Amino acid sequence: FAGENYVQDYFGITGGQSAASGLAVYSPDGGFYRNSLVGTLQYTITQGAFIQGLLRYDMLAGDAENSPIVEDDAAFTAAATVGYKF
């Protein structure tokens, strides 16, 4: 969920930006702008050491999804972390 100012800053197009880019002026409203599905898995190697994996799939929603600057409304992220707990 995001406020109108946040969504406007990242997905909106002002009059000046429209003139410079040729894209239409776009003023999105605030609200839910992204749906995410996230999964993590952690494996303990020793009492303190661990490895962790993360998979995340995001899809834009609402006014953010309909913005003229959006080329792809979905993103996939994969990450791995190795750490030690004291």
Side-chain angles (χ1 to χ4, degrees), residues 6 13 20 25 27 35-36 38 58 67 71:
Y6 178 90
I13 300 174
V25 173
S27 298
N35 298 308
S36 300
V38 181
D58 293 309
S67 173
E71 293 181 6

Side-chain angles (χ1 to χ4, degrees), residues 45-57:
I45 300 168
T46 65
Q47 187 173 0
F50 66 92
I51 186 167
Q52 185 176 39
L54 173 130
L55 295 175
R56 178 177 179 151
Y57 182 72

Side-chain angles (χ1 to χ4, degrees), residues 20-74:
S21 68
L23 297 171
V25 173
Y26 187 70
S27 298
D29 292 326
F32 289 99
Y33 74 97
R34 178 178 65 196
N35 298 308
S36 300
L37 181 61
V38 181
T40 60
L41 181 63
Q42 182 171 315
Y43 177 74
T44 302
I45 300 168
T46 65
Q47 187 173 0
F50 66 92
I51 186 167
Q52 185 176 39
L54 173 130
L55 295 175
R56 178 177 179 151
Y57 182 72
D58 293 309
M59 286 188 62
L60 291 176
D63 286 352
E65 177 183 20
N66 299 323
S67 173
I69 65 170
V70 172
E71 293 181 6
D72 189 358
D73 64 353

